[in-house]
Amino acid sequence: MSFGAVDAKADAMQPAAAHSPQPAPSKRLVWAMPLIPALLFLTIFFIYPVADLLLLSFTNKSGAFDLEQYRAVYSSKVYIDVLLITLKIALMIVAFCLILGYPVAYLLANAAPKTRARLVIWVLMPFWTSFLVRAFAWMILLGNNGPITKAVNIFGPEPPIKLIYNLTGVMIGTVQALLPLAILVMMAAMQNIDANLTRAASTMGARGGQAFWRIYFPLSFPGVAAAGLLTFITAMGFFITPALLGGPRETMIAQIILVQVQELLNWRFAGALSLLLLALSFVVFLLYDRATGLSSQAQSTQPGRVQRPPGRLAATWSASLLAILGWLGSASDAAMKALEAVFPRRNDRPGRRGPGLLQIAVGMVLVFLVAPALIVVPVSFTSGSFIAFPPVGFSLRWYETYLGSPVWVAATLVSFLVALVTGLLATILGGAAAFVFIRHEFFGKRMLVALFIAPLVIPRIIIAVAMFYLFAKLGLIGSLWGLIIGHTVLALPFVVVTVMSVLKSYDERYDHAALTLGATPLRTLRHVTLPLIKPAIIAAFLFSFVTSFDELTVALFISAGTVTTLPKMMWSDLILQMNPTLAAVSAVILIIATVIVLAAEAIKRRASYE
Amino acid sequence: MSCLVSPPTRRAFLAAAGGVGSLAAFPISTGWAQTNQRLTVADAGGEITRANETTLYEPFRKESGIAVTVIAREHEPISQVKALVESKSFIWDVVALTAQQAMTLDAEGLLDPLDWNDPHMNELIPAAKAPNWMAHSTYAAVMGYRKDKYGANGPQSWADFWNVQKFPGRRSLRKSPIETLEMALMADGVPIDKIYPIDMDRAFASLDKIKKHIHVWWTGGAQSTQLLQSGEVDMIPIWSARLQTIIDAGAPAVTVWNQGIYAADGWGIPKGTPRAPAARRMIQYFARPDRQAARATLLGNGPSNLKAFDNIPADRAKLLPTFPDNLNKMLANDDGWWFKNREKAIERFNAWLIS
């Protein structure tokens, strides 16, 4: 969906060198330099080992070329069916994340910095409770004896709607997990939108609906596209939450692959299924990229470029999109008018109605986001030995179990350290790569972008097994660096897509102005570009941090039990039953993380006063 | 619990000496003395590690002088065993494995042989013995139900579980064909000694009858306990040790041993580890009745050496799968049948679930 005049295909034909402001013939390939470290990193630690494992799927037991695994996939309908179920669930998750996330991102992006800082803390809540703890919190909240069902039961003996162990349960659990991601990516893009543009539209007579759909929405679109892509790819790999909260039909392909790898030791078949998953995701990515123009270069702000006229198909596409947006604008305006007729606007507070609705909607989403945490914190103070709500009695025994154990505390510190280094490494490598992707056109770019997203598509168990063989050769098994490298591979997709989405709407003329005024490229980056795209950089760092902090599979393989991370401790504590120690751990992490976010905000504010 | 620390035996000494001899086959840089005195054990973690630590590892350290490091492994550790054997990075020397897992690894030649020249190892129940695997513990999938729902007249068999008229209430089954197919056959009236080889058509026909009455399909052990303990479901097939944990903690639940399915948990040695001799010695140690008795008083898993019951208090003994009164009512899981048929069974089960 190219809203500008140029479609992505026309862009791809532009020679790369033409885009640099001052192309120096001798430095033809210098522009690609920032991509090299990330590309090398990914090739060595991801592509090489994983390809090695996946290619097994083309061999038979004696190692000769054979398509028997693929024949096995097609001989049973179940694998294709599960793949389609996975696709359906992932698309539904994306739709809910975008629809619920957009108003929140909009409100946050347009709020005063202080309000934003306060609200972001709530959005981040789901990040700080382990996915396992969250799933159990939902089991309590939505279960038969949970507070929500009990409230519904006042009106009848049986709950009229089953909220869990079906598709509804899967949606509730997964959307809550992915919403923060969608909100932060969209918010980062929206913070770059010049508020004067919407204001100008209003001045020129556009009503609220028209101004939003025809001006603001198209400008925010790169963020929506990126959020959609990240949530889609992540959702395709989900299986633990769907397995815990879903019904018999909510079987995800990652679950099937996991069983093939771990229980049946059938790596060739798992490789075949993974390649099918990869192929399906790749096709979706290409279609998506073509439709959204996510990986194509930022267009409207390129100076001195010959803009090709759009092809006929693209022109029709753009025209119909504009028509749809215009129609949406009129529709919203009409709806607002109808609403005003029913609930007349109070004269003393003009314009009160619109924001009121938005704030109520956002408030509801925020309650949804923090609901599991609202269960986890009280449960952690129980004196009983079960996770139950309302909790029985009051005691600090689970905090004593956690904080009094050197093993638990050490695991917490290791996780913070690994997540911190992973966050920094992934942000630097991925951020630099994103710059090259957005600022230059070159042959095979789309393939490369897809490659950077692939670590999210390939099931983690496959990555973990593949990395083990490589890391064993490199002596990285059981080392902190092994863990950091593994987690960085997993975090790179989040960084690349997030930074790309913001750079896409970044006005490069700021950079050109600085360069013209004599700043070196590095100074321009440091004093102009980076400060302007800071929300995206922070979001990218946060995603990387959380990816590492909550990661289990790769940690289990690479650490080989010698380096213990927090998710690993929590997981092994869960062997016999879900006990309140995990709730106490989650509550402590929640508090630490929130304090850090608050402190960072306070420091920033103080710095800006000086 | 009898003596926690027994003096080093002549057998143990010989095993250690044998270990030194066979080390020559493995060129390693760390030196024989050090390698022979150090073992890394990978077990299931959490409660299980804590119980193993006091009843198995620590007494073994004291008796043998071998330093034992314990780490928690994946629930399904065989892919990692394969990876570490093939890449020759022997981070684990002794791995906790179920019979199924051991068979899968053995089929690819990934396990080292054990030393069966040991009196206690030969006292074990048949389900605990395989050439390259030995079980020290037994577990059972039994039916658990809520006492507050059914009082004294709860379901007593899988036929009762399938009988939704006589026993109304919410039910859960495991989202796996393993154990579930056997339960379906028992519900359909197949006697315990005629379960294997499993008649899949009959089993799935039986499952068809109960499918729409299943409130939750559980996938993890911690989930199964949560479901019964919270009252989310009224009856569920569940591992007996986990069920006992929540009963001990006050949940109003009852264990039905009748038509339970038992299997064994044991140990294997990754093929080629330079510390195999010490590893063999450790596994032999796990067969001792006094050690198994001590462990069974901490965990709800039964001993595989029935002599252990001499040292287990009577009120504790009756909570264990291998307690003779319980064992007699149960079906022994046929690991051999499952090893041959599970791929097909899993595929059919998945297709049946989503249909």
Side-chain angles (χ1 to χ4, degrees), chain A residues 232-264:
Chain A
F232 173 75
I233 301 283
T234 315
M236 288 289 280
F238 268 8
F239 67 93
I240 294 176
T241 310
L244 287 173
L245 305 180
R249 281 194 58 80
E250 282 74 54
T251 302
M252 306 289 277
I253 192 74
Q255 175 80 53
I256 303 261
I257 294 173
L258 185 86
V259 169
Q260 292 292 334
V261 174
Q262 286 200 303
E263 286 178 38
L264 303 175

mmCIF file of all heavy atoms in Angstrom, chain A residues 232-264:
data_model
loop_
_atom_site.group_PDB
_atom_site.id
_atom_site.type_symbol
_atom_site.label_atom_id
_atom_site.label_comp_id
_atom_site.label_asym_id
_atom_site.label_seq_id
_atom_site.Cartn_x
_atom_site.Cartn_y
_atom_site.Cartn_z
ATOM 1 N N PHE A 232 2.334 -10.943 13.644
ATOM 2 C CA PHE A 232 2.002 -12.115 12.833
ATOM 3 C C PHE A 232 3.081 -13.190 12.955
ATOM 4 O O PHE A 232 2.807 -14.352 13.246
ATOM 5 C CB PHE A 232 1.821 -11.719 11.364
ATOM 6 C CG PHE A 232 1.646 -12.888 10.447
ATOM 7 C CD1 PHE A 232 0.440 -13.576 10.418
ATOM 8 C CD2 PHE A 232 2.682 -13.326 9.638
ATOM 9 C CE1 PHE A 232 0.281 -14.672 9.591
ATOM 10 C CE2 PHE A 232 2.531 -14.423 8.815
ATOM 11 C CZ PHE A 232 1.330 -15.099 8.792
ATOM 12 N N ILE A 233 4.322 -12.772 12.724
ATOM 13 C CA ILE A 233 5.408 -13.743 12.727
ATOM 14 C C ILE A 233 5.560 -14.372 14.120
ATOM 15 O O ILE A 233 5.774 -15.576 14.262
ATOM 16 C CB ILE A 233 6.733 -13.070 12.293
ATOM 17 C CG1 ILE A 233 6.582 -12.488 10.897
ATOM 18 C CG2 ILE A 233 7.878 -14.028 12.366
ATOM 19 C CD1 ILE A 233 6.641 -13.473 9.776
ATOM 20 N N THR A 234 5.450 -13.541 15.160
ATOM 21 C CA THR A 234 5.576 -14.092 16.512
ATOM 22 C C THR A 234 4.430 -15.071 16.773
ATOM 23 O O THR A 234 4.636 -16.145 17.339
ATOM 24 C CB THR A 234 5.529 -12.962 17.558
ATOM 25 O OG1 THR A 234 6.370 -11.906 17.113
ATOM 26 C CG2 THR A 234 6.014 -13.440 18.901
ATOM 27 N N ALA A 235 3.223 -14.692 16.362
ATOM 28 C CA ALA A 235 2.058 -15.532 16.636
ATOM 29 C C ALA A 235 2.157 -16.869 15.914
ATOM 30 O O ALA A 235 1.720 -17.893 16.437
ATOM 31 C CB ALA A 235 0.783 -14.805 16.226
ATOM 32 N N MET A 236 2.766 -16.886 14.724
ATOM 33 C CA MET A 236 2.912 -18.147 13.993
ATOM 34 C C MET A 236 3.727 -19.161 14.794
ATOM 35 O O MET A 236 3.571 -20.365 14.625
ATOM 36 C CB MET A 236 3.608 -17.907 12.647
ATOM 37 C CG MET A 236 2.780 -17.205 11.606
ATOM 38 S SD MET A 236 1.438 -18.191 10.923
ATOM 39 C CE MET A 236 2.300 -19.215 9.735
ATOM 40 N N GLY A 237 4.615 -18.671 15.642
ATOM 41 C CA GLY A 237 5.471 -19.575 16.409
ATOM 42 C C GLY A 237 4.921 -19.922 17.786
ATOM 43 O O GLY A 237 5.507 -20.707 18.506
ATOM 44 N N PHE A 238 3.794 -19.333 18.147
ATOM 45 C CA PHE A 238 3.236 -19.593 19.476
ATOM 46 C C PHE A 238 2.780 -21.030 19.619
ATOM 47 O O PHE A 238 2.272 -21.614 18.682
ATOM 48 C CB PHE A 238 2.015 -18.695 19.697
ATOM 49 C CG PHE A 238 2.337 -17.391 20.353
ATOM 50 C CD1 PHE A 238 3.642 -17.014 20.563
ATOM 51 C CD2 PHE A 238 1.335 -16.541 20.771
ATOM 52 C CE1 PHE A 238 3.950 -15.805 21.167
ATOM 53 C CE2 PHE A 238 1.630 -15.335 21.379
ATOM 54 C CZ PHE A 238 2.924 -14.970 21.570
ATOM 55 N N PHE A 239 2.931 -21.602 20.795
ATOM 56 C CA PHE A 239 2.253 -22.863 21.034
ATOM 57 C C PHE A 239 1.958 -23.110 22.507
ATOM 58 O O PHE A 239 0.994 -23.781 22.831
ATOM 59 C CB PHE A 239 3.022 -24.046 20.445
ATOM 60 C CG PHE A 239 4.342 -24.309 21.112
ATOM 61 C CD1 PHE A 239 4.431 -25.207 22.154
ATOM 62 C CD2 PHE A 239 5.481 -23.656 20.684
ATOM 63 C CE1 PHE A 239 5.640 -25.447 22.764
ATOM 64 C CE2 PHE A 239 6.695 -23.897 21.305
ATOM 65 C CZ PHE A 239 6.769 -24.791 22.346
ATOM 66 N N ILE A 240 2.762 -22.560 23.425
ATOM 67 C CA ILE A 240 2.537 -22.890 24.832
ATOM 68 C C ILE A 240 1.230 -22.273 25.315
ATOM 69 O O ILE A 240 0.393 -22.959 25.899
ATOM 70 C CB ILE A 240 3.733 -22.431 25.689
ATOM 71 C CG1 ILE A 240 4.959 -23.244 25.288
ATOM 72 C CG2 ILE A 240 3.430 -22.625 27.167
ATOM 73 C CD1 ILE A 240 6.217 -22.853 25.973
ATOM 74 N N THR A 241 1.044 -20.982 25.042
ATOM 75 C CA THR A 241 -0.195 -20.330 25.470
ATOM 76 C C THR A 241 -1.423 -20.962 24.797
ATOM 77 O O THR A 241 -2.391 -21.286 25.486
ATOM 78 C CB THR A 241 -0.111 -18.816 25.211
ATOM 79 O OG1 THR A 241 1.123 -18.344 25.761
ATOM 80 C CG2 THR A 241 -1.252 -18.080 25.860
ATOM 81 N N PRO A 242 -1.408 -21.182 23.475
ATOM 82 C CA PRO A 242 -2.559 -21.861 22.871
ATOM 83 C C PRO A 242 -2.813 -23.246 23.461
ATOM 84 O O PRO A 242 -3.953 -23.656 23.628
ATOM 85 C CB PRO A 242 -2.182 -21.960 21.389
ATOM 86 C CG PRO A 242 -1.249 -20.844 21.162
ATOM 87 C CD PRO A 242 -0.480 -20.689 22.432
ATOM 88 N N ALA A 243 -1.728 -23.974 23.786
ATOM 89 C CA ALA A 243 -1.919 -25.315 24.341
ATOM 90 C C ALA A 243 -2.559 -25.239 25.721
ATOM 91 O O ALA A 243 -3.401 -26.064 26.071
ATOM 92 C CB ALA A 243 -0.581 -26.047 24.426
ATOM 93 N N LEU A 244 -2.167 -24.224 26.515
ATOM 94 C CA LEU A 244 -2.689 -24.135 27.885
ATOM 95 C C LEU A 244 -4.094 -23.548 27.929
ATOM 96 O O LEU A 244 -4.880 -23.895 28.803
ATOM 97 C CB LEU A 244 -1.749 -23.295 28.758
ATOM 98 C CG LEU A 244 -0.432 -23.956 29.152
ATOM 99 C CD1 LEU A 244 0.466 -22.960 29.875
ATOM 100 C CD2 LEU A 244 -0.668 -25.170 30.029
ATOM 101 N N LEU A 245 -4.409 -22.644 27.010
ATOM 102 C CA LEU A 245 -5.692 -21.938 27.101
ATOM 103 C C LEU A 245 -6.681 -22.339 26.014
ATOM 104 O O LEU A 245 -7.820 -21.894 26.017
ATOM 105 C CB LEU A 245 -5.465 -20.419 27.031
ATOM 106 C CG LEU A 245 -4.484 -19.829 28.045
ATOM 107 C CD1 LEU A 245 -4.364 -18.327 27.867
ATOM 108 C CD2 LEU A 245 -4.925 -20.131 29.465
ATOM 109 N N GLY A 246 -6.228 -23.197 25.065
ATOM 110 C CA GLY A 246 -7.082 -23.524 23.932
ATOM 111 C C GLY A 246 -7.833 -24.833 24.104
ATOM 112 O O GLY A 246 -7.714 -25.526 25.107
ATOM 113 N N GLY A 247 -8.614 -25.152 23.076
ATOM 114 C CA GLY A 247 -9.349 -26.402 23.030
ATOM 115 C C GLY A 247 -8.650 -27.374 22.095
ATOM 116 O O GLY A 247 -7.527 -27.126 21.664
ATOM 117 N N PRO A 248 -9.312 -28.488 21.754
ATOM 118 C CA PRO A 248 -8.650 -29.488 20.915
ATOM 119 C C PRO A 248 -8.294 -28.967 19.523
ATOM 120 O O PRO A 248 -7.315 -29.401 18.932
ATOM 121 C CB PRO A 248 -9.687 -30.610 20.827
ATOM 122 C CG PRO A 248 -10.982 -30.001 21.235
ATOM 123 C CD PRO A 248 -10.644 -28.897 22.182
ATOM 124 N N ARG A 249 -9.080 -28.012 19.020
ATOM 125 C CA ARG A 249 -8.825 -27.554 17.654
ATOM 126 C C ARG A 249 -7.690 -26.535 17.569
ATOM 127 O O ARG A 249 -7.167 -26.300 16.486
ATOM 128 C CB ARG A 249 -10.101 -26.950 17.058
ATOM 129 C CG ARG A 249 -11.076 -27.997 16.564
ATOM 130 C CD ARG A 249 -12.152 -27.370 15.698
ATOM 131 N NE ARG A 249 -11.610 -26.665 14.543
ATOM 132 C CZ ARG A 249 -11.223 -27.277 13.420
ATOM 133 N NH1 ARG A 249 -11.334 -28.563 13.302
ATOM 134 N NH2 ARG A 249 -10.733 -26.580 12.427
ATOM 135 N N GLU A 250 -7.310 -25.951 18.697
ATOM 136 C CA GLU A 250 -6.261 -24.920 18.645
ATOM 137 C C GLU A 250 -4.878 -25.564 18.733
ATOM 138 O O GLU A 250 -4.127 -25.336 19.669
ATOM 139 C CB GLU A 250 -6.467 -23.888 19.750
ATOM 140 C CG GLU A 250 -7.551 -22.889 19.434
ATOM 141 C CD GLU A 250 -8.948 -23.473 19.551
ATOM 142 O OE1 GLU A 250 -9.276 -24.023 20.602
ATOM 143 O OE2 GLU A 250 -9.702 -23.423 18.573
ATOM 144 N N THR A 251 -4.566 -26.375 17.743
ATOM 145 C CA THR A 251 -3.254 -27.014 17.698
ATOM 146 C C THR A 251 -2.377 -26.227 16.737
ATOM 147 O O THR A 251 -2.762 -25.994 15.604
ATOM 148 C CB THR A 251 -3.394 -28.463 17.217
ATOM 149 O OG1 THR A 251 -4.276 -29.152 18.109
ATOM 150 C CG2 THR A 251 -2.060 -29.174 17.220
ATOM 151 N N MET A 252 -1.208 -25.804 17.228
ATOM 152 C CA MET A 252 -0.325 -24.979 16.407
ATOM 153 C C MET A 252 0.796 -25.838 15.830
ATOM 154 O O MET A 252 1.226 -26.823 16.431
ATOM 155 C CB MET A 252 0.280 -23.848 17.248
ATOM 156 C CG MET A 252 -0.743 -22.993 17.979
ATOM 157 S SD MET A 252 -1.721 -21.927 16.896
ATOM 158 C CE MET A 252 -0.620 -20.527 16.677
ATOM 159 N N ILE A 253 1.299 -25.432 14.682
ATOM 160 C CA ILE A 253 2.316 -26.225 13.991
ATOM 161 C C ILE A 253 3.604 -26.325 14.810
ATOM 162 O O ILE A 253 4.293 -27.347 14.790
ATOM 163 C CB ILE A 253 2.588 -25.663 12.568
ATOM 164 C CG1 ILE A 253 3.415 -26.637 11.730
ATOM 165 C CG2 ILE A 253 3.262 -24.317 12.603
ATOM 166 C CD1 ILE A 253 2.673 -27.836 11.239
ATOM 167 N N ALA A 254 3.921 -25.273 15.574
ATOM 168 C CA ALA A 254 5.156 -25.300 16.364
ATOM 169 C C ALA A 254 5.113 -26.439 17.386
ATOM 170 O O ALA A 254 6.133 -27.056 17.698
ATOM 171 C CB ALA A 254 5.369 -23.963 17.071
ATOM 172 N N GLN A 255 3.922 -26.728 17.893
ATOM 173 C CA GLN A 255 3.746 -27.819 18.846
ATOM 174 C C GLN A 255 4.063 -29.164 18.179
ATOM 175 O O GLN A 255 4.754 -30.014 18.733
ATOM 176 C CB GLN A 255 2.293 -27.817 19.342
ATOM 177 C CG GLN A 255 1.932 -28.962 20.248
ATOM 178 C CD GLN A 255 2.392 -28.719 21.666
ATOM 179 O OE1 GLN A 255 2.089 -27.698 22.252
ATOM 180 N NE2 GLN A 255 3.151 -29.644 22.198
ATOM 181 N N ILE A 256 3.557 -29.333 16.969
ATOM 182 C CA ILE A 256 3.771 -30.576 16.222
ATOM 183 C C ILE A 256 5.269 -30.755 15.947
ATOM 184 O O ILE A 256 5.829 -31.840 16.092
ATOM 185 C CB ILE A 256 2.996 -30.517 14.885
ATOM 186 C CG1 ILE A 256 1.513 -30.272 15.144
ATOM 187 C CG2 ILE A 256 3.281 -31.734 14.028
ATOM 188 C CD1 ILE A 256 0.632 -31.465 15.109
ATOM 189 N N ILE A 257 5.922 -29.652 15.562
ATOM 190 C CA ILE A 257 7.353 -29.711 15.252
ATOM 191 C C ILE A 257 8.145 -30.064 16.514
ATOM 192 O O ILE A 257 9.050 -30.884 16.489
ATOM 193 C CB ILE A 257 7.830 -28.375 14.637
ATOM 194 C CG1 ILE A 257 7.159 -28.171 13.272
ATOM 195 C CG2 ILE A 257 9.343 -28.343 14.513
ATOM 196 C CD1 ILE A 257 7.403 -26.825 12.638
ATOM 197 N N LEU A 258 7.741 -29.446 17.622
ATOM 198 C CA LEU A 258 8.428 -29.705 18.893
ATOM 199 C C LEU A 258 8.383 -31.196 19.246
ATOM 200 O O LEU A 258 9.393 -31.782 19.634
ATOM 201 C CB LEU A 258 7.754 -28.890 19.999
ATOM 202 C CG LEU A 258 8.428 -28.960 21.354
ATOM 203 C CD1 LEU A 258 9.522 -27.913 21.444
ATOM 204 C CD2 LEU A 258 7.445 -28.751 22.487
ATOM 205 N N VAL A 259 7.216 -31.793 19.081
ATOM 206 C CA VAL A 259 7.080 -33.223 19.405
ATOM 207 C C VAL A 259 7.972 -34.054 18.490
ATOM 208 O O VAL A 259 8.634 -34.996 18.931
ATOM 209 C CB VAL A 259 5.600 -33.658 19.300
ATOM 210 C CG1 VAL A 259 5.475 -35.167 19.376
ATOM 211 C CG2 VAL A 259 4.777 -33.002 20.392
ATOM 212 N N GLN A 260 8.020 -33.697 17.201
ATOM 213 C CA GLN A 260 8.863 -34.442 16.265
ATOM 214 C C GLN A 260 10.341 -34.350 16.653
ATOM 215 O O GLN A 260 11.066 -35.337 16.579
ATOM 216 C CB GLN A 260 8.682 -33.903 14.836
ATOM 217 C CG GLN A 260 7.299 -34.171 14.251
ATOM 218 C CD GLN A 260 7.046 -35.642 13.979
ATOM 219 O OE1 GLN A 260 7.982 -36.412 13.770
ATOM 220 N NE2 GLN A 260 5.792 -36.054 14.011
ATOM 221 N N VAL A 261 10.770 -33.160 17.082
ATOM 222 C CA VAL A 261 12.185 -32.979 17.440
ATOM 223 C C VAL A 261 12.485 -33.663 18.766
ATOM 224 O O VAL A 261 13.445 -34.418 18.892
ATOM 225 C CB VAL A 261 12.546 -31.480 17.552
ATOM 226 C CG1 VAL A 261 13.970 -31.308 18.071
ATOM 227 C CG2 VAL A 261 12.395 -30.793 16.221
ATOM 228 N N GLN A 262 11.634 -33.394 19.763
ATOM 229 C CA GLN A 262 11.999 -33.757 21.121
ATOM 230 C C GLN A 262 11.576 -35.154 21.536
ATOM 231 O O GLN A 262 12.258 -35.789 22.317
ATOM 232 C CB GLN A 262 11.374 -32.765 22.089
ATOM 233 C CG GLN A 262 12.072 -31.431 22.057
ATOM 234 C CD GLN A 262 11.772 -30.665 23.310
ATOM 235 O OE1 GLN A 262 10.618 -30.421 23.615
ATOM 236 N NE2 GLN A 262 12.786 -30.304 24.043
ATOM 237 N N GLU A 263 10.404 -35.597 21.076
ATOM 238 C CA GLU A 263 9.939 -36.892 21.551
ATOM 239 C C GLU A 263 10.264 -38.000 20.574
ATOM 240 O O GLU A 263 10.591 -39.110 20.961
ATOM 241 C CB GLU A 263 8.422 -36.850 21.794
ATOM 242 C CG GLU A 263 8.079 -36.078 23.045
ATOM 243 C CD GLU A 263 6.574 -35.992 23.262
ATOM 244 O OE1 GLU A 263 5.879 -36.976 22.989
ATOM 245 O OE2 GLU A 263 6.121 -34.923 23.701
ATOM 246 N N LEU A 264 10.153 -37.703 19.272
ATOM 247 C CA LEU A 264 10.321 -38.759 18.279
ATOM 248 C C LEU A 264 11.717 -38.762 17.668
ATOM 249 O O LEU A 264 12.075 -39.681 16.956
ATOM 250 C CB LEU A 264 9.264 -38.623 17.190
ATOM 251 C CG LEU A 264 7.813 -38.648 17.703
ATOM 252 C CD1 LEU A 264 6.832 -38.398 16.581
ATOM 253 C CD2 LEU A 264 7.519 -39.989 18.367
#
